[in-house]
Amino acid sequence: MAFRCQRDSYARKFTTTVVSCRPAELQTEGSNGKKEVLSGFQVVLEDTLLFPEGGGQPDDHGTINDIPVLKVTRRGEQADHFTQTPLEPGSQVLVQVDWERRFDHMQQHSGQHLITAVADHLFKLKTTSWELGRFRSVIELDSPSVTAEQVAAIEQSVNEKIRDRLPVNVQELSLDDPEVRGRGLPDDHAGPIRVVTIKGVDSNMCCGTHVSNLSDLQVIKMLGTEKGKKNKTNLIFLAGNRVLKWMGRSHGTEKALTALLKCGAEDHVEAVKKLQNSTKLLQKNNLSLLRDLAVHSAHRLRNSPDWGGVVLLHRKEGDSEFMNIIANEIGSEETLLFLTVGDEKGAGLFLLAGPPVAVETLGPRVAEVLEGKGAGKKGRFQGKAMKMSRRPEAQALLQDYISTQSTKE
């Protein structure tokens, strides 16, 4: 059977009866991005106002007797509602849908039907799949490329049809109806077939929730295309309230950039280009100065009265190239050179250079002390350190090694 949500997509609440309630688990993604398993119940109702995911459309959110429904999935002719509170079979319950989410899905799904039909009619671009995303929707077109001119023409045509206020009708047909034969159905399909028709534009089988008139879509905005799977192109779009929210975010960004760049919106791109060029020039000059400083530091270390044994240098500003220039300039295989750059109490980089046998032995141990990772060869070991605050421990390790070697000699 068709659920109440499919028979009347605009209904926001109704009363029905609990058929069954059984213990179940739901795998979900926690706030930290890790998978979590929730214990709860799968509730089956006599009918439901909450759409179970399917046909590229996510499930509805809502409540049963004010109990949050965390997931709705279809199982044959029934819909399973996952809750964390049990409900008594046979009891009357009030089902309410999250209307903002429902209407958003109606706008995106009907928008997809309209775009798919227009793309096919204008340019023979066939839709192979689609995704109703959280922030944007994607239609996969069976073409290796779609031009900007084609995208603009599709956008103009769909918005003309929205302004024409074309009706959208839903029919329920039996499996033996001539309109159904040969269209192909999911293996687990049960009950009548729903056919969604946009008057004079499109007629397709669909299980989702839809607007009753294209005027409810308000507007459709194409955000362009992206390369899809092999020989496919993804067409990105927004419909209805998503366009308004996108415009609000864009306007907010524009105002912020106007204040930061001290120029009008029409000059933002040029202003950013100038800043990028200035930044590149400064980075080039800084790199040149850093190289000069590395050479100077190498000569100063080499000529220091403390030269020999273990030679140390730490600098907050620097990179791997800075340390390698120093090591190259010094070029000694007789002394252990321990160089570090970065925040003294945070993370950074390190380099150990010197006699190959000593470096091969000590490099991994220094990395372990600094709680980092590294690799090396030919008398040089370098890597990342997570705890630069443990540099004195690494220094002591190196000093002990030198002392031990001197004793042996």
Side-chain angles (χ1 to χ4, degrees), residues 378-405:
K378 296 181 179 179
R380 199 168 295 187
F381 189 99
Q382 57 189 323
K384 294 182 178 180
M386 300 307 296
K387 291 286 183 69
M388 295 296 284
S389 59
R390 298 186 65 183
R391 280 170 39 249
E393 296 177 47
Q395 178 183 350
L397 172 69
L398 300 177
Q399 294 284 13
D400 287 345
Y401 179 85
I402 293 296
S403 297
T404 302
Q405 294 301 309

Side-chain angles (χ1 to χ4, degrees), residues 94-320:
L94 178 66
V95 182
Q96 297 186 81
V97 67
D98 177 341
W99 175 247
E100 183 178 356
R101 178 181 170 91
R102 156 68 67 77
F103 190 58
D104 171 57
H105 289 180
M106 289 164 62
Q107 289 183 318
Q108 308 316 308
H109 204 156
S110 296
Q112 176 265 315
H113 277 231
L114 177 58
I115 295 167
T116 288
V118 169
D120 187 14
H121 174 72
L122 292 181
F123 305 110
K124 304 301 180 185
L125 294 168
K126 303 292 184 182
T127 293
T128 50
S129 67
W130 89 291
E131 178 189 6
L132 198 169
R134 185 178 175 186
F135 299 108
R136 64 179 196 167
S137 295
V138 180
I139 296 173
E140 183 185 74
L141 298 175
D142 191 15
S143 174
S145 64
V146 178
T147 67
E149 291 75 18
Q150 288 175 319
V151 173
I154 293 170
E155 181 177 278
Q156 180 179 345
S157 180
V158 296
N159 282 296
E160 285 174 354
K161 288 171 171 48
I162 290 172
R163 291 191 292 273
D164 288 340
R165 302 184 69 253
L166 299 178
V168 180
N169 299 311
V170 178
Q171 289 178 286
E172 288 190 14
L173 305 177
S174 62
L175 285 170
D176 57 358
D177 191 288
E179 286 194 37
V180 174
R181 291 173 192 162
R183 292 207 187 196
L185 292 168
D187 294 336
D188 63 344
H189 181 82
I193 309 302
R194 295 176 76 245
V195 177
V196 178
T197 301
I198 303 173
K199 186 178 180 180
V201 177
D202 181 56
S203 182
N204 256 304
M205 292 188 300
C206 183
C207 66
T209 55
H210 289 273
V211 299
S212 60
N213 191 288
L214 289 188
S215 62
D216 275 353
L217 296 185
Q218 300 169 286
V219 66
I220 287 177
K221 178 61 187 172
M222 301 296 182
L223 299 183
T225 61
E226 295 176 352
K227 187 176 181 181
K229 297 175 184 176
K230 188 176 181 181
N231 294 324
K232 300 286 195 300
T233 299
N234 292 333
L235 181 61
I236 319 300
F237 77 94
L238 305 173
N241 291 333
R242 292 194 181 193
V243 178
L244 299 179
K245 291 179 180 178
W246 173 72
M247 289 180 65
R249 290 193 301 269
S250 298
H251 181 61
T253 301
E254 184 179 286
K255 286 179 65 178
L257 286 173
T258 296
L260 290 169
L261 299 173
K262 310 298 182 185
C263 64
E266 65 278 4
D267 297 321
H268 284 175
V269 173
E270 284 303 315
V272 171
K273 285 181 179 178
K274 288 180 180 178
L275 284 174
Q276 286 179 326
N277 290 334
S278 297
T279 301
K280 287 178 182 178
L281 181 60
L282 286 172
Q283 289 175 336
K284 185 177 180 181
N285 291 338
N286 285 343
L287 183 59
S288 178
L289 289 171
L290 198 61
R291 286 171 177 165
D292 291 344
L293 179 62
V295 172
H296 174 74
S297 298
H299 292 166
R300 181 168 55 83
L301 288 172
R302 185 69 172 171
N303 297 322
S304 169
D306 296 327
W307 176 259
V310 179
V311 178
L312 311 169
L313 176 67
H314 174 77
R315 182 176 174 81
K316 186 175 182 180
E317 296 82 13
D319 55 17
S320 294

